Structures are given as structure tokens and as C-alpha cells.
Amino acid sequence: GDLYTGDEIKFKQIIYNILGNAVKFSHKNSKVIIKSIKKEKKLIIKIKDFGIGIEKKNHKKIFEKFIQLDNIYTKTVSSTGLGLTITLELTKMLKGEIKLKSEPNKGSEFILSFPLE
């Protein structure tokens, strides 16, 4: 079959969570780019922002419960610290994967990959 008829709510939540973070941690008047491609029986979605970015040592940490990276932006942003933990769990439920490319002050790109069968 094609895409997630039964899992549409989970799928939307994943996209909303990552988009929400992309907007939250971007500078004013910045942009967020979303691309989707179908490749080898997979749906790949890339969400890229040009915001504060994340140090390599913290790439795995941001998916853990209640982790908020300490920087100037988290002081003004309120959050439970569960957004990406939930996003990762939902992605796994859909047999998908999340990859992150990010550097401080160079933004972040989340690459989501879901099987299409």
C-alpha cells in the first residue's frame, strides 16, 4: 500500500513537532525549508532551518526525555523537553528513522525516512 492511512495522526504529530522546533529555534525573519522525495520504496522528508543549531556532542541527547540544551534561547522558550522524545517514539512506531545534521549557528536539518509498504 501507499502511505500510512492508519497512522496519519502519528505522522502529522512528527512533522508538527519538528516544524515547531525549527520555527522556535530560528531567528526572526529566517526561513524553514521542507522537501519530500520518494526514493527506493521510502518517503524521505527533510526539514531544514537556519537557526541556532546543535553541537555534535548533543545530537543524540536531544532525543532523551526532559533534556533541554542550555543556551541563550532555552531561557526564553518554555517546553516540557519531551517533544523530540515523542517524535522519535512515533517515528519508530511507523518503522521510520530520524537523522540530524546540525552545527551551532548554522541551523539544523532533520531527515525523516519512512518505508512505503
Side-chain angles (χ1 to χ4, degrees), residues 4-18:
Y4 317 117
T5 38
D7 295 319
E8 195 176 318
I9 292 166
K10 289 183 188 95
F11 185 75
K12 280 183 184 172
Q13 191 63 53
I14 291 164
I15 302 300
Y16 292 155
N17 286 358
I18 292 178

Side-chain angles (χ1 to χ4, degrees), residues 29-30 32 41 43 49 66 82 85 106-107:
N29 301 322
S30 187
V32 175
K41 296 185 179 177
L43 173 65
D49 67 60
F66 308 115
L82 283 171
T85 305
K106 293 192 177 172

Side-chain angles (χ1 to χ4, degrees), residues 90-102:
L90 292 171
T91 301
K92 285 177 180 175
M93 284 180 194
L94 299 179
K95 297 180 176 71
E97 293 177 3
I98 300 181
K99 290 183 183 151
L100 170 62
K101 291 182 185 172
S102 186

Side-chain angles (χ1 to χ4, degrees), residues 21-108:
N21 276 355
V23 171
K24 192 183 340 185
F25 295 110
S26 285
H27 309 291
K28 200 174 173 182
N29 301 322
S30 187
K31 62 183 173 181
V32 175
I33 298 170
I34 305 167
K35 291 181 185 172
S36 70
I37 42 175
K38 233 170 141 175
K39 186 177 167 187
E40 296 158 14
K41 296 185 179 177
K42 284 187 178 180
L43 173 65
I44 297 165
I45 299 168
K46 297 180 178 188
I47 300 174
K48 181 169 178 51
D49 67 60
F50 299 87
I52 62 173
I54 301 159
E55 284 183 72
K56 188 115 179 124
K57 68 175 184 177
N58 290 321
H59 285 195
K60 282 195 171 51
K61 229 185 240 184
I62 61 164
F63 292 101
E64 294 170 13
K65 285 182 183 156
F66 308 115
I67 295 290
Q68 283 207 308
L69 303 179
D70 195 32
N71 63 43
I72 194 165
Y73 293 95
T74 55
K75 304 262 187 282
T76 57
V77 174
S78 67
S79 162
T80 59
L82 283 171
L84 286 173
T85 305
I86 292 166
T87 302
L88 180 60
E89 287 306 309
L90 292 171
T91 301
K92 285 177 180 175
M93 284 180 194
L94 299 179
K95 297 180 176 71
E97 293 177 3
I98 300 181
K99 290 183 183 151
L100 170 62
K101 291 182 185 172
S102 186
E103 283 181 58
N105 304 313
K106 293 192 177 172
S108 300

